[in-house]
Amino acid sequence: MIDVLVVDDDFRVAEINAKYVGKVPGFRVAARAHSAAQALASVQRGTIDLVLLDHYLPDQTGLELVHRMREQGHGTDVIMITAASDVATVQAAMRVGALHYLVKPFTFAALRTRLDSYAALRRTVDRVGGRGNAGQEQVDRIFGALRTTPAPSSPGLPSGHSEPTSDLICRVLHHADHPLSAHEVAAETGLSRSTAQRYLRHLEQSGRLRLSLKYGDTGRPEHLYAWVAP
């Protein structure tokens, strides 16, 4: 089993992420942490294989925590799971050795893809000899194990829907401070209004969005959508 440390300052989000990890065969949650200090203490105990790490923590950033881990000689693997999507933070994560970078909000399928590729990496390293020397072919296999190829649609999406588009709409609504109409979602995402409506309808029916009606003086009520899923 691969022992995972889930790090997020939001207790509710940490619990949700932990439940996601528990659904992936071969992985188990060894600990949860809500600050950099708690996370470092868990890593120092030496039982963690992989850290799912938020960047925004109350005492340090996630990347500062990774720097401290490396300075102390901890080579524990890291996957960033964070709302930080600026290029500078993404590049910094690459430089400290983060194996994947998943932007919130995300689907279970997106996280499972990253975890599966991480498990494939560990299996590949074991097959090519662990700490021994590797030729170019073996090196290519190791690096290739981390590649992810998301399917154009997941089993949870209707035919004709793509997961990246669904994630884009979810991200817009997750960060919105008020319910949005299909017209507003289309404007924010660059999608056509009909496409936005199609995805919004599915997301509302699947329980990830909440639908409310805004009545005017005349005509049909306006449909407004708000983010409700973790």
Side-chain angles (χ1 to χ4, degrees):
M1 296 291 286
I2 296 172
D3 287 323
V4 180
L5 169 64
V6 176
V7 184
D8 199 292
D9 66 323
D10 188 318
F11 285 71
R12 184 175 60 91
V13 173
E15 180 64 24
I16 292 164
N17 291 350
K19 287 181 179 178
Y20 279 174
V21 172
K23 292 168 64 176
V24 181
F27 290 83
R28 66 185 173 196
V29 176
R32 299 174 182 81
H34 309 292
S35 68
Q38 291 176 356
L40 185 60
S42 293
V43 170
Q44 288 171 336
R45 285 193 283 270
T47 59
I48 303 299
D49 299 307
L50 174 67
V51 181
L52 301 186
L53 181 60
D54 188 17
H55 182 59
Y56 298 119
L57 300 173
D59 47 351
Q60 278 188 313
T61 67
L63 294 183
E64 288 170 341
L65 170 60
V66 178
H67 279 295
R68 288 184 64 191
M69 289 166 51
R70 301 303 183 238
E71 287 173 354
Q72 295 183 15
H74 302 296
T76 312
D77 294 320
V78 174
I79 293 177
M80 298 296 295
I81 298 182
T82 176
S85 57
D86 59 287
V87 174
T89 301
V90 175
Q91 287 181 319
M94 294 173 63
R95 291 181 182 126
V96 298
L99 298 178
H100 284 298
Y101 197 106
L102 193 56
V103 179
K104 297 177 181 177
F106 58 90
T107 63
F108 167 67
L111 176 59
R112 176 163 188 168
T113 297
R114 274 71 180 179
L115 293 179
D116 284 344
S117 75
Y118 174 72
L121 169 66
R122 290 171 63 97
R123 290 193 300 269
T124 302
V125 170
D126 289 341
R127 280 199 300 268
V128 300
R131 295 182 179 273
N133 293 327
Q136 186 62 54
E137 181 181 352
Q138 287 76 27
V139 170
D140 290 343
R141 276 188 208 157
I142 293 171
F143 275 86
L146 277 176
R147 294 182 189 140
T148 59
T149 309
S153 62
S154 69
L157 291 174
S159 176
H161 288 62
S162 75
E163 188 170 320
T165 302
S166 180
D167 288 346
L168 174 62
I169 291 175
C170 288
R171 193 173 303 126
V172 166
L173 286 162
H174 179 74
H175 292 293
D177 56 7
H178 61 276
L180 301 179
S181 67
H183 175 76
E184 291 171 318
V185 171
E188 288 285 338
T189 58
L191 301 169
S192 69
R193 183 172 180 176
S194 61
T195 298
Q197 285 177 323
R198 184 157 48 89
Y199 278 83
L200 289 168
R201 189 177 304 113
H202 167 72
L203 291 167
E204 186 268 327
Q205 291 172 350
S206 63
R208 299 177 70 185
L209 303 180
R210 182 179 65 252
L211 171 64
S212 60
L213 301 179
K214 179 181 178 181
Y215 291 88
D217 295 332
T218 60
R220 298 173 60 185
E222 184 178 26
H223 289 60
L224 299 176
Y225 296 88
W227 176 258
V228 295

